[in-house]
Amino acid sequence: MSKLPVIAIDGPAASGKGTIARRVAAAFGFAHLDTGTLYRAVALAVLRKGGDPSNPADADAAVRALDLSLLEDPALRAQTTSVAASKVAAIQSVRDELLAFQRGFAAHPPGGRGAVLDGRDIGTVICPNADAKLFVTATPEVRAHRRFLEHKANGTLITEAEVLADIRSRDARDSGREAAPLKQATDAHLLDTTHLDIEAATERALSIVRAALRT
Ligand code: DC
């Protein structure tokens, strides 16, 4: 069987990459993997055991015993889990342990038609030969505003300034780490969503992917 199409979508928190990835996957009938949930699940397992997400021994134990049912846990989206996820994600052995699962998903996606993976290192490390690569970004202020509105809608008590501070510190950790830092692959298409709503951003993503797949 010839290789199935793989779409890599990377970018910082609240850039819109998750929604874009879901919509691209739905439009092409491909399976979607939000790889951030893997790091979040490891982080949640560490926190629930009372461990330290920055401690490689605690994070390694959690990733080796990872229970995939945690991927559905609503606590994955909590602010404390987000912060802990960016800490476990900086540990190389955690990334190594999650690599095979992600590559396996890309090579053998559920449904057997193609795969869309979104994260921080999909185009650079996990799927460097992806058929289409997008790097989705927006200014920290715009991303913080979007995330703040989500928190408000969910009834989470947090100020926009706190969300911006969190986004800046996660960006610094995700981009500044040695292990697979967040960066645009040289052959990725840049999609800046600062002045685009999600509909317009999705349209641009779809036209990039269509051109890459020549459909
Ligand atoms: O996309 P997200 O906010 O759910 O990701 C949670 C954390 O996991 C984030 O701080 C960066 C990290 N991450 C990563 O390092 N590599 C990925 N492929 C996906 C997420």
Side-chain angles (χ1 to χ4, degrees):
M1 194 181 73
S2 63
K3 183 183 148 307
L4 295 171
V6 176
I7 315 298
I9 304 187
D10 291 302
S15 56
K17 69 180 187 312
T19 305
I20 291 171
R22 266 195 310 281
R23 291 185 181 191
V24 168
F28 287 90
F30 294 171
H32 169 229
L33 179 64
D34 168 359
T35 63
T37 59
L38 301 172
Y39 295 92
R40 287 172 181 270
V42 174
L44 189 57
V46 171
L47 293 175
R48 287 198 173 147
K49 277 209 139 192
D52 171 2
S54 300
N55 179 340
D58 289 355
D60 283 346
V63 74
R64 283 203 209 99
L66 191 62
D67 169 5
L68 291 178
S69 71
L70 269 185
L71 297 179
E72 309 296 327
D73 197 309
L76 286 190
R77 297 283 135 204
Q79 185 77 357
T80 45
T81 313
S82 302
V83 174
S86 78
K87 293 180 178 167
V88 300
I91 301 171
Q92 183 65 56
S93 49
V94 169
R95 307 195 71 85
D96 292 344
E97 195 72 31
L98 294 174
L99 184 100
F101 178 82
Q102 296 173 83
R103 286 200 178 148
F105 185 95
H108 307 286
R113 295 182 66 180
V116 179
L117 284 82
D118 78 83
R120 303 291 191 286
D121 63 341
I122 308 304
T124 51
V125 176
I126 306 294
C127 302
N129 298 321
D131 300 271
K133 297 183 187 178
L134 274 82
F135 191 82
V136 185
T137 190
T139 63
E141 290 76 11
V142 164
R143 290 186 283 122
H145 186 64
R146 289 176 188 158
R147 203 32 69 82
F148 169 68
L149 294 179
E150 280 171 26
H151 282 306
K152 205 166 146 191
N154 295 335
T156 310
L157 289 176
I158 188 163
T159 66
E160 192 163 335
E162 284 166 339
V163 179
L164 179 58
D166 172 60
I167 287 224
R168 284 193 194 283
S169 73
R170 282 215 286 149
D171 280 359
R173 227 180 348 252
D174 294 343
S175 309
R177 68 186 179 214
E178 270 181 39
L182 169 68
K183 64 169 189 246
Q184 184 180 348
T186 49
D187 53 351
H189 296 264
L190 179 65
L191 180 51
D192 186 335
T193 67
T194 303
H195 303 293
L196 297 178
D197 66 17
I198 194 65
E199 309 302 332
T202 304
E203 268 318 306
R204 292 215 188 161
L206 285 171
S207 61
I208 292 167
V209 175
R210 268 189 217 111
L213 301 182
R214 288 194 202 91
T215 56

